[in-house]
């Protein structure tokens, strides 16, 4: 620095012959508080100016105009200076050599400002130079920080310490660099504009994690207590590196949900919530929340949070599932199909989770259970039994719904097994029952008479009735001529509808049963008559024998009767007698219906009155009675006694 001053002095001497009022001093100079500073200064004045009493000088602070009474920093003629500079200033240069260098010791922040030099050559040769040197007194070192610190790009930070005090040399040290990745340090000493600066440069590559970290620069003067520090917080710019949103979730229809999004970036990103291509909400902030009310299935889908801050962009998505019970299934309309065709029933619905679809026919399960929103029930070669109500039931864990339809199957007529001819009291009754859709029309045909009987014929008591798809027709053949004098009945039933016709011969299905009843009744009647005759003859024979031995035997009038468990036998016998009477009556009825003539069977003798009389039956014991032969009782005799039984 002193060599530079000498060089300037030499140049001024060379140009002395043509010099004017001119001064050279640094425009800016700095110093640390409580240290010192040297302001280099060289001046020139015109050659015509004569110094009478030598060259004197004055340093002003703040302003160059004496009439405004600026503070005096240094005055060569006297020691009268401003109180803030007392004992602090000293002129280091030789004014006669046109060197006006000034030393200021123990500077403080109050000494920061502009310093002006005034040359006094005596007489009128006094001049205040307009140029100035501005002093900056620093309480902490300067750090050169780039306008923008970008993540993953090399960063240089330079710390400066002024070296303008000849008695002290500063040193620089970086603080809090242990967490930096591979830091590098470089020192440099520079002189510029008549001032010296010591600098130290720190090189490293910052990461997003270094944003907000502290770094420090320390300036100290060895062998002194002067230490100065400055701390900075790194403002590392980086695009979004993490976007956090809710996990995918499920909500019920009609409920509310709040979606949160937080973006890690510097500066704060513009956060927007997107649903498909639609932007629902945006804000420039570290986090943004989206509130959704009264959720509907239409709001189910992917929600995306996008963060963009100009240094990068990032997004994250979540799936919002809206749960709801099955909607009412959409099915076919009620339909009519032809027998033998294929029936296809479709059922579709919506629900979340996907519902199970079940087909029911008249309350019974048909087909398979489908875990989908569409079910097709296929019935191949549909039969009349396939007609009915079909219901599609949709179920999931949140509820159920169903829809129904009716299926009508149209088919040709079919004869029912109830169709027959039977013998009745009035003659023969023929019934024809047929089922079909539409309901069939029934006619009777008598081939022996070549007669067709339908609703228009009243001779045979034609009767018809329709119940749903079942038609019933009935005729009665009351006269013998209707049957052509034959025991067999020859009646045809004809049925027809839109889909076909058929004719069936009706058999007299009850004829064999009645013949069997006649045979059984006849045999039974003959047996009963024979039994009655034998019983009457036996009773009469015993009465005669009793009269013949009346003188020898003591007749017991109304002997004592002992009742026992034989009462049950009495009831059984009574039933047999009644059954015999009924059998005879049935025989007469069958005979009458079969031949058309009245029956002639009737119960005989006292048996006809058994129902009106009370009969008593019991084992009998006769004391002192004789044996049947009239002699004394012998060994081996079975002990049977006989006596007359009288009815009361």
């Amino acid at each position: 620095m002193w060599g530079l001053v000498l060089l300037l002095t030499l140049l001024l001497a060379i140009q002395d012959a043509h010099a004017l009022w001119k001064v050279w001093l640094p425009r800016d100079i700095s110093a640390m508080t409580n240290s010192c500073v040297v302001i280099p200064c060289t001046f020139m004045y015109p050659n015509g100016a004569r110094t009478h009493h030598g060259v004197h000088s004055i340093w002003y602070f703040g302003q160059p105009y004496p009439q405004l009474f600026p503070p005096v920093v240094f005055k060569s003629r006297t020691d009268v200076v401003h109180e803030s500079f007392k004992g602090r200033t000293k002129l280091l240069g030789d004014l006669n050599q046109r060197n006006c260098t000034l030393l200021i010791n123990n500077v403080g922040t109050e000494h920061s400002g502009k310093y002006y030099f005034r040359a006094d050559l005596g007489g009128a040769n006094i001049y205040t130079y307009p140029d100035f040197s501005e002093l900056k007194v620093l309480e902490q070192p300067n750090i050169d920080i780039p306008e923008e610190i970008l993540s993953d790009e090399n960063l240089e930070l330079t710390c400066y310490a002024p070296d303008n005090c000849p008695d002290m040399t500063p040193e620089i040290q970086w603080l809090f660099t242990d967490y930096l990745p591979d830091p590098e340090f470089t020192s440099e000493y520079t002189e510029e504009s008549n001032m010296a600066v010591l600098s130290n440069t720190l090189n490293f590559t910052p990461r997003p994690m270094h944003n907000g970290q502290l770094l420090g620069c320390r300036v100290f003067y060895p062998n002194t207590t002067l230490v100065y520090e400055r701390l900075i917080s790194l403002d590392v710019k980086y695009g979004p590196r993490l976007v956090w949103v809710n996990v995918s979730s499920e909500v019920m229809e009609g409920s509310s949900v709040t979606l949160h999004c937080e973006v890690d970036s510097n500066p704060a990103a513009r956060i927007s919530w997107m649903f498909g291509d639609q932007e629902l909400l945006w804000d420039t902030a570290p986090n943004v929340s989206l509130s959704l009310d009264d959720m509907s299935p239409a709001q189910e889908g992917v929600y995306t949070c996008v963060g963009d801050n100009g240094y990068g962009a990032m997004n994250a998505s979540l799936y919002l599932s809206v749960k709801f019970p099955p909607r009412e299934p959409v099915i076919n309309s009620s339909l009519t199909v032809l027998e033998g065709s294929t029936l296809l029933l479709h059922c579709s619905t919506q629900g979340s989770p996907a519902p199970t679809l079940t087909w029911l026919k008249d309350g019974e399960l048909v087909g398979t259970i489908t875990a989908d929103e569409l079910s097709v029930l296929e019935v191949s070669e549909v039969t009349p039994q396939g007609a009915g109500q079909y219901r599609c039931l949709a179920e999931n864990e949140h509820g159920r719904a169903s829809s129904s339809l009716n299926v009508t199957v149209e088919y040709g007529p079919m004869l029912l097994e109830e169709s027959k001819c039977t013998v009745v009291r009035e003659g023969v009754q023929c019934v024809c029952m047929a089922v079909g859709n539409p309901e069939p029309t029934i006619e009777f045909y008598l081939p022996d008479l070549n007669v067709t009987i339908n609703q228009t014929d009243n001779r045979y008591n034609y009767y018809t009735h329709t119940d749903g798809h079942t038609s019933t027709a009935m005729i009665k053949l009351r006269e013998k001529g209707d049957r052509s004098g034959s025991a067999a009945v020859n009646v045809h039933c004809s049925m027809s509808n839109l889909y076909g016709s058929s004719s069936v011969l009706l058999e007299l299905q009850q004829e064999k049963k009645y013949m069997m009843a006649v045979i059984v009744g006849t045999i039974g009647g003959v047996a009963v008559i024979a039994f009655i005759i034998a019983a009457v003859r036996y009773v009469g024979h015993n009465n005669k024998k009793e009269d013949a031995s009346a003188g020898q035997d003591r007749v017991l009038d109304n002997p004592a009767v002992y009742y026992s468990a034989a009462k049950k036998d009495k009831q059984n016998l009574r039933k047999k007698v009644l059954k015999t009477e009924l059998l005879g009556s049935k025989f007469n009825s069958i005979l009458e219906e079969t031949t058309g003539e009245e029956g002639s069977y009737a119960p005989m003798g006292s048996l006809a009155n058994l129902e009106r009389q009370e009969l008593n039956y019991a084992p009998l014991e006769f004391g002192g009675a004789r044996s049947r032969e009239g002699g004394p009782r012998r060994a081996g005799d079975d002990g049977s006694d006989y006596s007359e039984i009288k009815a009361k």
Side-chain angles (χ1 to χ4, degrees), residues 388-426:
Q389 183 188 67
Y390 288 79
R391 183 162 68 101
C392 178
L393 175 63
E395 296 179 289
N396 67 10
E397 61 192 71
H398 303 295
R400 60 169 55 186
S402 66
S403 296
S404 301
L405 73 145
N406 291 316
V407 173
T408 302
V409 179
E410 293 188 339
Y411 53 96
M414 295 185 296
L415 185 71
L416 300 181
E417 62 180 8
E418 291 84 357
S419 302
K420 58 190 174 182
C421 288
T422 56
V423 177
V424 297
R425 182 180 297 273
E426 295 83 359

Side-chain angles (χ1 to χ4, degrees), residues 40-266:
C41 178
T42 302
F43 67 98
M44 294 184 64
Y45 52 86
N47 293 332
R50 300 296 180 183
T51 59
H52 301 284
H53 303 287
V55 179
H56 297 277
S57 65
I58 301 175
W59 281 90
Y60 290 122
F61 177 73
Q63 294 191 29
Y65 308 110
Q67 60 271 22
L68 297 178
F69 305 103
V72 176
V73 176
F74 173 82
K75 190 173 184 179
S76 60
R77 289 182 179 272
T78 65
D79 295 331
V80 178
V81 296
H82 190 270
E83 60 181 6
S84 62
F85 292 97
K86 284 184 178 180
R88 297 173 183 265
T89 57
K90 181 180 179 181
L91 189 65
L92 297 181
D94 184 356
L95 295 176
N96 293 321
Q97 298 296 323
R98 303 179 184 182
N99 186 341
C100 52
T101 301
L102 177 68
L103 170 65
I104 306 175
N105 289 307
N106 196 21
V107 293
T109 56
E110 69 274 13
H111 301 135
S112 295
K114 298 177 180 179
Y115 289 80
Y116 295 88
F117 176 70
R118 180 181 176 86
D120 183 0
L121 303 182
N125 296 319
I126 301 175
Y127 184 77
T128 301
Y129 295 91
D131 296 331
F132 60 87
S133 179
E134 185 171 2
L135 173 63
K136 294 180 180 179
V137 179
L138 307 176
E139 294 182 296
Q140 58 184 9
N142 285 328
I143 299 178
D144 186 8
I145 304 173
E147 290 186 6
E148 201 170 62
I149 301 175
L150 299 179
S151 174
D152 302 318
E153 293 187 10
N154 184 65
L155 173 63
E156 287 188 358
L157 298 177
T158 302
C159 182
Y160 297 94
D163 187 15
N164 296 313
C165 182
D167 297 333
M168 296 183 294
T169 301
E171 293 186 9
I172 299 176
Q173 182 182 32
W174 285 97
L175 306 176
F176 311 119
T177 59
D178 294 341
Y179 63 87
L180 298 179
D182 303 323
E184 296 180 357
F185 305 96
T186 303
S187 295
E188 185 178 0
Y189 185 85
T190 59
E191 291 187 11
E192 184 178 354
S193 301
N194 295 326
M195 64 178 183
V197 176
L198 178 65
S199 64
N200 190 288
T201 301
L202 168 65
N203 283 274
F204 70 99
T205 301
R207 301 283 186 264
M209 61 178 294
H210 298 134
N211 181 52
Q213 295 286 347
L214 290 178
L215 275 179
C217 175
R218 174 182 292 167
V219 174
F220 63 96
Y221 292 92
N223 303 319
T224 69
T225 59
L226 300 180
V227 178
Y228 311 91
E229 292 180 353
R230 181 182 177 186
L231 298 180
I232 62 171
S233 176
L234 294 179
D235 184 15
V236 181
K237 308 294 185 182
Y238 58 93
R241 63 168 184 158
L242 178 63
V243 178
W244 178 89
V245 296
N246 310 57
V247 295
S248 295
S249 59
E250 300 177 352
V251 296
M252 281 301 299
E253 181 181 22
S255 63
S256 300
V257 66
T258 300
L259 305 182
H260 301 280
C261 178
E262 184 175 340
V263 178
D264 180 10
S265 66
N266 185 40

Side-chain angles (χ1 to χ4, degrees), residues 335-350:
L335 67 161
T336 300
V337 296
L338 186 62
E339 179 185 14
S341 61
T342 298
L343 177 64
L344 291 176
L345 301 180
H346 297 264
C347 177
S348 63
T349 186
Q350 290 182 334

